[in-house]
Amino acid sequence: MRPAPNAPVRAPRGTELHTKGWPQEAAYRLLMNNLEVAEDWRRLIVYGGRGKAARDWESYYRIVETLEELDSDETLVVQSGKPVAVWRTHEWAPRVLISNAMLVPYWSTLEHFNELEAKGLTMYGQMTAGSWCNIGSQGIVQGTYETFATAAKMKFGGTLKGRITVTGGLGMFSGIMPHCIRLNGGVSIAVEIDPERIQRRVELGFVDEMLTDPDEAYRLARHCAERGEARAIAVLGNMSDVLGDFLEKGTHFDIVTDQTSAHDMLEGYVPGGMSLAEALDLRKSAPDEYIGLARASAVRQVRAMVEYQRRGALVFDYGNNIRQEAYNAGYKDAFAFPGFVEAFIRPLFCVGRGPFRWICLSGEESDLRKTEQVALSEFADDEVFANWVRLASEHQPIEGLPARLGYLGFGQRARFGKLLNDMVRSGELAGPVAMSRDHLDTGSVASPNRETERMKDGSDAVADWPILNAMLNVACGATYVAVHNGGGVGVGYATHAGLVMVADGTDLAERKIERCLTVDPGSGVVRHADAGYETAIELARSAGIRMPMLGT
Ligand code: NAD
């Protein structure tokens, strides 16, 4: 077993290939880019508790070495972070196929997963970690920005100016929330147990300062809110304890949410009433006791959130499954507040809209700027997208290979993919562009506590859709495709699929892009039309999507 490298992993830049073709090179660079932007690269952990890019370092090196040798008619098969085989396929087939943390449904529990992981037989891939398309915190930034913008429209007259939000966690994705609240004009207090995580977010500019006294933090928050100043304040502490104390003192908040890694009660969430060091010791020495204490803390925290809702705050679950954990531990009112997808995002999913992203493999910032310009002129009439790209271009630091994320829908993605391929073909860009999306997308996920919570027809837990989505993307020539268990909400609670496409300027890429970037968001339109959402049915009709049962 080879150990971790001495220096952090960095994705190659430039146009010199380390592999036998750009599709292979995309997998190669994006795997490394995942580790370049990772929360804890030494442990191969990219984000979200223990979401990993590869099973162990030996697996990582073997993946890299195999990609270097992989021919353009071969496919590498990766089983939960370990490269297990290479097969001769054909040039339209994906270069890599990945399956992460999939378990037979009856055994699909965190406890069983932990046993298998301890034996070295599986790996938790989260969503974008094990499918090699993470782009750092910017991967969630527009979704978070739009979520708070929608909250502002729904409840606060269109702005968060003068409003205070309290949230938990400052990790990879949780850490972007204060920044998004600030972009919406609001003040936030983010409670994080690990000072190093806070420091990292301060360095990235996503939070303004760290305080250790919650009351002092609240006084500062109130002071800023009264003056209409936007501010992102971090408090060192445990969310369960701090929120409980705030509630007891009658501290007022306008919005209450949480994004600690509560989907994983062993490796993600830290129980209250102890220091981080004590928690890390207990995690190792007595994992069952740790899980019991973590669940009890989740109950206290969710109880406080429900009480805040009763007192008039806007409260929502931001995708970490904390309601389910509290419910399982006996708190039966845990689902009294909604999840964010049902509250804010579903209308977008109905029209095939979701978090599309593109990554400039050359590493050149100028490539990103040129692609942003083209995106802005092509989608000038899409106000939300255009505003976002302008805002992100100005305020979002580049992490890893230059990348941009923007919510695009059915039709738009295929158009944009072709334009990017044209730009590579004409030499306007220094190198090829990879395109991807979160698994948290319109047609690629079944997650009853999140993306498919309270579907109109009750089909929340039907997991055929993401599997069909993955198979369709394979059939249409995706560069690589992944299916996963448990992303976002934890093992057993979600099935989802990811894809990556490469625009390398060839005619073959153009044909693959046109098909994949049509069926991928299209499968979201179909999924929502099938569930009875009118806007999805209308779009299926107007776009000529053939759905035999609807007669379209
Ligand atoms: P992360 O593991 O990088 O960060 C979580 C942070 O929470 C860590 O810094 C950890 O120290 C802190 N933490 C844990 N328990 C705490 C407690 N009790 N009090 C205070 N701090 C505590 O994870 P992430 O990438 O930031 O994701 C956070 C959660 O959000 C995960 O559950 C993930 O699955 C979910 N997620 C949601 C979305 C979405 O779109 N809503 C997207 C990605 C991830």
Side-chain angles (χ1 to χ4, degrees):
M1 281 280 199
R2 282 172 275 182
N6 293 327
V9 176
R10 191 167 186 270
R13 269 67 170 169
T15 50
E16 193 191 317
L17 285 172
H18 305 77
T19 59
K20 294 183 177 175
W22 276 105
Q24 297 91 310
E25 186 77 13
Y28 186 88
R29 292 190 186 197
L30 293 187
L31 166 62
M32 294 179 188
N33 194 51
N34 262 21
L35 293 174
E36 186 173 330
V37 300
E39 283 295 295
D40 186 356
W41 68 270
R42 277 191 187 78
R43 293 167 65 211
L44 290 150
I45 290 179
V46 182
Y47 78 103
R50 56 180 133 165
K52 289 172 75 175
R55 182 96 57 97
D56 46 39
W57 280 104
E58 187 58 36
S59 298
Y60 168 81
Y61 292 122
R62 298 269 174 146
I63 291 169
V64 167
E65 288 154 9
T66 309
L67 287 171
E68 284 167 355
E69 295 302 318
L70 197 74
D71 280 323
S72 297
D73 62 352
E74 290 181 328
T75 297
L76 165 64
V77 180
V78 178
Q79 179 260 324
S80 290
K82 184 174 86 170
V84 288
V86 172
W87 294 102
R88 166 122 317 132
T89 52
H90 55 85
E91 62 176 2
W92 270 82
R95 296 286 68 84
V96 187
L97 288 173
I98 299 172
S99 173
N100 278 317
M102 294 302 265
L103 297 173
V104 173
Y106 183 81
W107 285 269
S108 193
T109 61
L110 181 63
E111 285 69 21
H112 196 70
F113 175 84
N114 286 341
E115 277 173 36
L116 292 170
E117 194 200 33
K119 287 183 193 158
L121 296 174
T122 188
M123 175 195 94
Y124 184 56
Q126 260 289 2
M127 288 194 158
T128 51
S131 59
W132 312 341
C133 54
N134 190 289
I135 54 170
S137 45
Q138 62 188 322
I140 192 184
V141 64
Q142 193 195 0
T144 307
Y145 172 79
E146 298 298 344
T147 293
F148 281 92
T150 311
K153 272 185 219 133
M154 277 170 57
K155 202 163 157 154
F156 306 111
T159 174
L160 293 184
K161 204 169 167 181
R163 305 290 170 182
I164 307 179
T165 300
V166 62
T167 182
L170 284 172
M172 179 177 281
F173 287 138
S174 40
I176 200 76
M177 200 192 280
H179 176 55
C180 293
I181 293 168
R182 209 172 41 188
L183 288 175
N184 275 291
V187 178
S188 64
I189 295 180
V191 184
E192 163 64 56
I193 190 76
D194 183 344
E196 282 181 23
R197 301 286 192 125
I198 300 183
Q199 192 49 39
R200 187 154 178 194
R201 263 72 234 176
V202 172
E203 280 159 20
L204 281 166
F206 298 158
V207 295
D208 295 309
E209 68 257 289
M210 172 171 83
L211 298 178
T212 48
D213 176 2
D215 294 328
E216 189 190 340
Y218 189 75
R219 280 194 295 278
L220 176 61
R222 179 98 343 265
H223 177 80
C224 296
E226 276 161 11
R227 276 165 182 66
E229 288 167 18
R231 184 96 156 211
I233 304 161
V235 171
L236 183 62
N238 190 295
M239 180 61 172
S240 174
D241 297 339
V242 173
L243 193 68
D245 288 349
F246 275 143
L247 182 74
E248 229 167 73
K249 290 177 186 156
T251 311
H252 170 84
F253 288 105
D254 300 288
I255 301 178
V256 180
T257 188
D258 176 60
Q259 216 179 0
T260 57
S261 274
H263 69 276
D264 186 338
M265 286 284 130
L266 180 61
E267 299 276 343
Y269 189 74
V270 178
M274 64 180 83
S275 69
L276 180 61
E278 285 165 343
L280 295 180
D281 281 350
L282 189 67
R283 193 179 268 176
K284 277 209 189 85
S285 62
D288 290 342
E289 188 188 338
Y290 183 102
I291 290 174
L293 291 171
R295 289 201 168 125
S297 294
V299 169
R300 278 200 304 280
Q301 185 180 324
V302 173
R303 203 187 285 279
M305 292 171 83
V306 170
E307 181 54 27
Y308 264 113
Q309 175 169 264
R310 208 189 55 73
R311 293 184 188 180
L314 179 66
V315 181
F316 55 89
D317 174 321
Y318 202 56
N320 62 357
N321 218 19
I322 192 159
R323 293 171 302 168
Q324 185 72 52
E325 288 298 341
Y327 183 88
N328 291 350
Y331 179 49
K332 296 303 173 204
D333 279 342
F335 283 86
F337 56 88
F340 77 106
V341 173
E342 189 200 350
F344 308 117
I345 306 282
R346 177 134 334 123
L348 306 178
F349 282 177
C350 286
V351 292
R353 220 170 147 87
F356 179 78
R357 79 254 317 244
W358 65 100
I359 304 138
C360 300
L361 295 174
S362 67
E364 297 289 338
E365 188 179 338
S366 56
D367 277 5
L368 180 62
R369 302 301 166 215
K370 286 177 197 164
T371 58
E372 283 171 344
Q373 283 314 315
V374 168
L376 283 171
S377 70
E378 182 67 13
F379 303 116
D381 56 342
D382 184 336
E383 217 177 294
V384 172
F385 175 82
N387 283 345
W388 171 252
V389 170
R390 272 188 221 103
L391 200 64
S393 174
E394 205 178 312
H395 293 284
Q396 186 67 31
I398 289 180
E399 292 172 71
L401 292 171
R404 182 61 63 229
L405 173 136
Y407 268 55
L408 286 178
F410 180 75
Q412 291 177 312
R413 296 192 202 184
R415 253 163 64 205
F416 190 45
K418 181 182 178 322
L419 283 175
L420 291 175
N421 201 50
D422 290 345
M423 290 174 85
V424 178
R425 184 189 281 130
S426 69
E428 204 178 333
L429 299 180
V433 178
M435 289 164 287
S436 174
R437 57 156 171 76
D438 204 333
H439 299 205
L440 184 172
D441 197 18
T442 163
S444 51
V445 55
S447 186
N449 289 341
R450 216 168 90 164
E451 290 85 345
T452 53
E453 179 168 9
R454 299 196 336 153
M455 292 293 286
K456 199 170 178 182
D457 62 348
S459 58
D460 307 19
V462 174
D464 297 324
W465 299 102
I467 298 300
L468 290 169
N469 170 272
M471 290 195 288
L472 260 173
N473 281 322
V474 170
C476 288
T479 304
Y480 52 98
V481 176
V483 289
H484 290 205
N485 173 16
V489 284
V491 170
Y493 288 106
T495 306
H496 43 97
L499 100 145
V500 171
M501 294 296 304
V502 175
D504 60 6
T506 59
D507 292 345
L508 182 62
E510 180 175 322
R511 284 187 288 151
K512 291 177 176 179
I513 287 167
E514 192 273 318
R515 284 166 178 75
C516 261
L517 295 188
T518 299
V519 303
D520 186 50
S523 65
V525 177
V526 168
R527 196 264 177 271
H528 289 85
D530 186 76
Y533 290 92
E534 279 307 322
T535 49
I537 295 169
E538 274 164 34
L539 178 56
R541 287 219 166 90
S542 64
I545 297 175
R546 297 208 309 254
M547 293 185 63
M549 297 301 285
L550 288 186
T552 62

